[in-house]
Amino acid sequence: MPGVSNFRGILSRTALGALAGLLSAYTALAVAELVAGLVRPAAGPVTVVGGAVIDRTPAAVKDFAIRTFGENDKKVLQLGILAILAVIAIALGVLALARRRTGAAGVLLFGIVGSSAALSRPDSTGLGDALPSLAGAVAGAVVLYLLASKAVPAPAPAYADGEGGTHEWNRRGFLTAAGVTAVAATSAGALGRFFTARQGQGAVASRDALILPKPASPAPAIPAGVQLKVPGIPSFTTPNRAFYRVDTALSVPKVDAGTWRLRIHGEGVTRPHTYTLDQLLARPLIERDITMTCVSNEVGGPYIGNARWLGVPLADVLEEAGVVPPSRGGKADQLVARSVDGMTLGSSVEDVMDGRDAMLAVGMNGEPLPFDHGFPVRMLVPGLYGYVSACKWITDIELTTFDAYDPYWVKRKWARRAPIKTQSRIDTPKPFARPAAGTVTIAGVAWAQRRGVSRVQVRIDDGPWQDADLAAQAGVDTWRQWSYRWPAAPGGHTITVRATDGTGQVQTEQRTRTIPDGASGWHSVFVTVA
């Protein structure tokens, strides 16, 4: 049946075109990864395009991604980019069956998009960042052109059967070429990962070799009783491996401590200075237990953790540079911190110099900062949400004004100033749990950094508020655990919690979104008592 045979031939060639497109995209990414490993890993096309997507994504969409995917939001974005690339690659591969040059030109166009994204990144180092995307695109275009030529059958000779002997030869030739391409691309990608790992070895070695000095001002001893013996509530001190991570870095910067520098300059800075890590470590260090909270933390959310931080008092460094807070006649009211990846965060100068333990942190829970949390140095200001205070991989501090400059998140409609709100959370029982009737222990944490927590109350359904038992408080900058023994009766019940801070202010019931300055409202869980 000629019609069926023709249809099968078209379907077969279409599948070969799709495979050619996918192999061209795979080759492009592998070669780009290889070149990025030689030039600069952060200039890889998926990283720079992903960064450009993040920069141009509305704040509400970012907030949705964090709520929905949590700390996997970056992986989801990268997988999304790869999925879109795969679909386009398939389309270009099929197109190349009829128009090889057009299909190859489409691959080159994506190289231009990737190189433009690389050059637009705030941490771009120049034209070299465009090389990975361009080199990958050229390799991908060549592969698509050659594979597409193999996928198109030549006219069969007169003595050939209906299928055409040359068609069969082309198919075998295509599969051979495809196999060679896949092996070569895989090798290039592996080599790229090897070079990328080598570029980070110096940073890893510098962290492994770093010995943190003892603090001149050690953290006060943690009081007995800060940790309740209730299953289901978090540890008072959050282990580094479990500490939340929310940032925009698709590729975690690996900064060599030996080459790292911090520049302090700007308005009102009479003595600009550039510090090495050794110079910072030679200064008197402070050690403090401080709870950090992300502004993207929903009511009852997980983006909060407590650690013992070691660092240089930020106010001392600023004063050494001649900085004076606005309340004493200083010119600058905003401190803009810049990361090695180009991120900018803006803090109130008044806040960082008002006596709180704002610091340039070098240690976390007794060890150098993990790379995920800002090695070798990050900024930390108790009482402020991270997006206005906690610059990781910090490399530059510029003194300016709120009127003169909007940092990254402020440009995206988040508030300029963001003190942490009084919040509380129920950790046990979990939502929709089915505890047995009798005494049920309800427990969780509450926080109001810079004010402390003085009271926590629990309400069952629409009943009266009952005082919970409070664990010992380690300080006004840390969270506080609480528990309540509930005589639970069978049936469905809603448990609600609220906290009162050290100033006597009761946590508000009013629900607000995380945008623009943090969520508020009471946390509730529904359980069914068996």
Side-chain angles (χ1 to χ4, degrees), residues 344-397:
T344 56
L345 305 182
S347 307
S348 164
V349 174
E350 201 68 52
D351 287 343
V352 300
M353 300 186 75
D354 68 357
R356 71 184 74 192
D357 290 316
M359 69 173 76
L360 295 169
V362 296
M364 181 179 182
N365 289 332
E367 65 179 74
L369 293 172
F371 287 108
D372 280 357
H373 296 290
F375 180 84
V377 181
R378 71 174 298 165
M379 200 172 98
L380 175 62
V381 184
L384 302 181
Y385 285 116
Y387 85 99
V388 296
S389 67
C391 183
K392 295 191 280 191
W393 316 293
I394 189 171
T395 189
D396 186 276
I397 292 177

Side-chain angles (χ1 to χ4, degrees), residues 85-339:
L85 180 61
V87 171
I88 296 174
I90 290 172
L92 289 175
V94 174
L95 174 64
L97 294 176
R99 299 183 177 183
R100 289 195 289 266
R101 292 181 179 178
T102 303
V107 178
L108 290 174
L109 179 61
F110 273 88
I112 294 173
V113 171
S115 61
S116 299
L119 294 175
S120 71
R121 301 298 300 140
D123 62 335
S124 173
T125 58
L127 292 177
D129 283 1
L131 286 178
S133 293
L134 291 177
V138 170
V142 170
V143 165
L144 181 58
Y145 189 89
L146 294 177
L147 289 180
S149 68
K150 293 288 186 182
V152 178
Y159 55 80
D161 59 23
E163 291 296 315
T166 307
H167 171 80
E168 197 64 35
W169 180 89
N170 276 337
R171 183 181 298 170
R172 287 196 298 269
F174 173 88
L175 293 177
T176 299
V180 171
T181 298
V183 171
T186 301
S187 300
L191 196 57
R193 288 189 291 275
F194 170 75
F195 286 127
T196 296
R198 280 191 61 182
Q199 287 209 15
Q201 284 178 356
V204 173
S206 70
R207 183 180 183 274
D208 290 343
L210 182 61
I211 299 176
L212 296 175
K214 292 184 178 180
S217 174
I222 296 177
V226 298
Q227 180 70 52
L228 297 179
K229 296 180 180 179
V230 178
I233 62 173
S235 170
F236 174 77
T237 298
T238 309
N240 290 353
R241 66 181 181 279
F243 210 95
Y244 75 90
R245 178 197 164 201
V246 178
D247 53 51
T248 63
L250 288 177
S251 176
V252 175
K254 295 284 182 70
V255 182
D256 191 316
T259 60
W260 175 87
R261 299 292 185 271
L262 174 66
R263 179 187 178 210
I264 298 179
H265 61 107
E267 191 167 354
V269 176
T270 59
R271 295 179 292 276
H273 199 89
T274 298
Y275 292 93
T276 66
L277 182 60
D278 286 341
Q279 288 173 329
L280 287 185
L281 294 178
R283 302 174 65 93
L285 304 182
I286 61 172
E287 183 184 59
R288 297 292 184 268
D289 293 299
I290 298 171
T291 296
M292 290 184 60
T293 314
C294 180
V295 73
S296 295
N297 202 41
E298 293 282 344
V299 172
Y303 301 128
I304 179 171
N306 185 70
R308 175 159 286 190
W309 305 92
L310 177 71
V312 177
L314 180 54
D316 291 354
V317 174
L318 295 177
E319 288 173 357
E320 187 175 85
V323 178
V324 177
S327 60
R328 302 208 309 264
K331 296 180 180 179
D333 60 5
Q334 181 179 208
L335 178 157
V336 176
R338 287 184 174 84
S339 168

Side-chain angles (χ1 to χ4, degrees), residues 366-520:
E367 65 179 74
L369 293 172
F371 287 108
D372 280 357
H373 296 290
F375 180 84
V377 181
R378 71 174 298 165
M379 200 172 98
L380 175 62
V381 184
L384 302 181
Y385 285 116
Y387 85 99
V388 296
S389 67
C391 183
K392 295 191 280 191
W393 316 293
I394 189 171
T395 189
D396 186 276
I397 292 177
E398 180 180 3
L399 279 298
T400 182
T401 65
F402 285 107
D403 291 337
Y405 184 81
D406 286 340
Y408 182 91
W409 291 111
V410 175
K411 291 177 182 176
R412 289 153 180 81
K413 308 304 181 184
W414 293 80
R416 285 184 172 86
R417 302 167 188 263
I420 295 174
K421 298 179 180 179
T422 301
Q423 286 285 287
S424 53
R425 184 181 74 193
I426 300 168
D427 287 298
T428 184
K430 299 295 184 185
F432 308 112
R434 301 181 65 87
T439 300
V440 173
T441 299
I442 305 168
V445 291
W447 60 93
Q449 289 92 316
R450 300 304 303 145
R451 304 177 301 280
V453 173
S454 62
R455 188 181 193 186
V456 173
Q457 295 173 297
V458 174
R459 184 177 68 186
I460 309 299
D461 300 321
D462 293 322
W465 288 102
Q466 303 288 337
D467 284 335
D469 294 322
L470 295 177
Q473 181 163 282
V476 295
D477 288 332
T478 66
W479 57 6
R480 193 172 190 181
Q481 298 183 358
W482 57 268
S483 66
Y484 175 74
R485 292 172 62 81
W486 169 41
H493 299 282
T494 298
I495 307 170
T496 305
V497 64
R498 71 180 184 187
T500 301
D501 68 24
T503 69
Q505 187 70 36
V506 179
Q507 177 183 343
T508 179
E509 179 184 9
Q510 182 182 3
R511 279 270 181 164
T512 62
R513 300 170 58 200
T514 57
I515 301 173
D517 61 354
S520 68

